[in-house]
Amino acid sequence: MKTIGYLRVSTADQDLDKFRADVLQFANDRDFGRVEFVQEKVSGKKPWRERQLGQVVETLQAGDRLIVPELSRLGRSMIEVLEIIKIAKEQGACIYAVKGGWELNDSIQSKIISSVLAMMAEVERDLISERTREALAAKRAAGVKLGRRPGPGKSKLDEHAEEIQALLKNGSTKTFVANRYGTTVQNLSNWLRKHYLA
């Protein structure tokens, strides 16, 4: 069982020392013992799996604790945060957020919080789709010719290309996107590869 404090800053003026002190105080108040820190300076725009956080989450085991100053340090979007929480729970680990005092595990409180976060993530996905449709409509109105690239055969995913790219860019999993557009993960992966989007 280990306790990991994850610290991420995206700009030089963010106070890493304060984040570290907050995490240590949080751990000490709960008698968690020694805290191993993982810290990086990287933009939240970079997918979480490509940051040091990805390796941390992948190596979590049952009983491990991951402490962050606030949930926004995990990911830029609620979709990313929710995915990380889900993976940690499946591995039997617990995520703590100092801000708000959140404890995300298998407790009733955690299940309620996760349900709320899931609803927020769904709203976020819908907003992304809506913004993409509006942008496409504006381009069409401006006379910009839109359409799929020539080459691969027609797919039912073609008409949703912009939305699919936006969802994946903002942290949606291929499983979620495939379910949303009525296809399989394998078909989605093939479609992305054929259209040079993978």
Side-chain angles (χ1 to χ4, degrees):
M1 183 185 295
K2 60 182 181 290
T3 301
I4 302 169
Y6 175 70
L7 309 176
R8 177 184 65 80
V9 294
S10 53
T11 61
D13 60 348
Q14 287 182 304
D15 195 344
L16 197 61
D17 289 337
K18 181 184 185 308
F19 287 156
R20 179 187 289 269
D22 289 344
V23 168
L24 283 173
Q25 183 65 54
F26 185 90
N28 288 338
D29 289 346
R30 288 159 181 76
D31 294 321
F32 284 170
R34 181 174 173 271
V35 179
E36 302 172 26
F37 281 97
V38 174
Q39 60 187 60
E40 57 185 334
K41 181 181 176 183
V42 62
S43 169
K45 292 180 181 178
K46 187 171 185 179
W48 69 270
R49 292 181 186 277
E50 296 176 16
R51 293 187 260 133
Q52 288 184 51
L53 176 62
Q55 186 175 358
V56 170
V57 173
E58 286 175 7
T59 57
L60 288 175
Q61 298 179 5
D64 287 349
R65 310 178 186 100
L66 175 61
I67 308 175
V68 292
E70 55 188 64
L71 286 180
S72 64
R73 296 295 92 194
L74 291 174
R76 182 179 179 85
S77 71
M78 194 57 63
I79 298 168
E80 277 195 338
V81 172
L82 196 62
E83 184 180 13
I84 293 168
I85 292 171
K86 180 176 180 290
I87 292 171
K89 284 173 63 177
E90 288 173 350
Q91 294 172 178
C94 182
I95 294 180
Y96 295 86
V98 175
K99 187 175 181 180
W102 287 10
E103 178 179 336
L104 302 169
N105 49 24
D106 280 329
S107 67
I108 295 296
Q109 177 199 22
S110 177
K111 289 175 182 176
I112 292 171
I113 292 171
S114 294
S115 295
V116 172
L117 293 178
M119 286 188 289
M120 292 171 66
E122 184 61 32
V123 169
E124 188 172 44
R125 292 181 187 107
D126 289 341
L127 288 174
I128 291 168
S129 294
E130 184 178 340
R131 285 195 299 268
T132 302
R133 284 193 295 270
E134 289 173 354
L136 289 171
K139 286 182 179 180
R140 289 190 190 99
V144 176
K145 188 174 181 181
L146 301 173
R148 65 183 180 87
R149 297 177 185 176
K154 185 166 176 57
S155 166
K156 65 180 179 180
L157 297 176
D158 291 344
E159 61 184 293
H160 306 292
E162 297 286 341
E163 291 177 30
I164 291 171
Q165 289 181 69
L167 286 169
L168 292 172
K169 184 178 180 182
N170 282 276
S172 293
T173 62
K174 287 184 180 178
T175 301
F176 171 82
V177 173
N179 290 337
R180 186 179 182 96
Y181 296 104
T183 188
T184 64
V185 173
Q186 185 61 51
N187 284 341
L188 174 63
S189 297
N190 290 340
W191 180 84
L192 289 169
R193 191 164 48 253
K194 285 178 182 178
H195 289 75
Y196 309 104
L197 301 175

